[in-house]
Amino acid sequence: MSQPPKTSVLAVFATTPHTTEDDIAKVVGAELAHVKELVDAGVIDRGYHRTDRRGAVLLVNAETTDAAKEILDDLPAVKAGVIELASIIPLVPLPLPQG
């Protein structure tokens, strides 16, 4: 039986307005452990720190954009209200010229 097709999703996170370094420190261990599980499962493909403000960007593989949002809503930092999903963008491959 073949697996359902995966969608790539660009998930853009930002810290919530009143988040402090102390708030982040309280959840960072649980957040990193959860993210590692998702990386190991092939759900999170890449992650980046934002340079325009505090936050992160993740490239997520899921069956649908809604499924990706459910996965991301379960992140400890999201549940704690430290970060929020600012944007979720479905992606399709862009054929680039080779050679």
Side-chain angles (χ1 to χ4, degrees), residues 2-96:
S2 65
Q3 293 185 338
K6 298 278 183 179
T7 296
S8 291
V9 174
L10 187 69
V12 181
F13 293 91
T15 55
T16 53
H18 302 290
T19 296
T20 65
E21 293 300 321
D22 196 42
D23 295 332
I24 294 169
K26 289 176 186 173
V27 297
V28 73
E31 183 76 2
L32 292 175
H34 193 80
V35 166
K36 182 180 182 329
E37 290 175 8
L38 293 173
V39 169
D40 290 347
V43 174
I44 294 178
D45 191 37
R46 293 183 182 264
Y48 302 88
H49 284 287
R50 293 179 62 171
T51 59
D52 61 331
R53 63 178 293 181
R54 289 192 308 174
V57 177
L58 298 176
L59 186 58
V60 178
N61 298 308
E63 291 181 28
T64 64
T65 301
D66 288 339
K69 185 165 179 356
E70 283 183 36
I71 291 164
L72 298 169
D73 284 345
D74 198 40
L75 292 171
V78 172
K79 288 172 136 181
V82 172
I83 61 171
E84 60 190 357
L85 187 57
S87 185
I88 188 163
I89 305 163
L91 305 172
V92 295
L94 175 65
L96 298 174

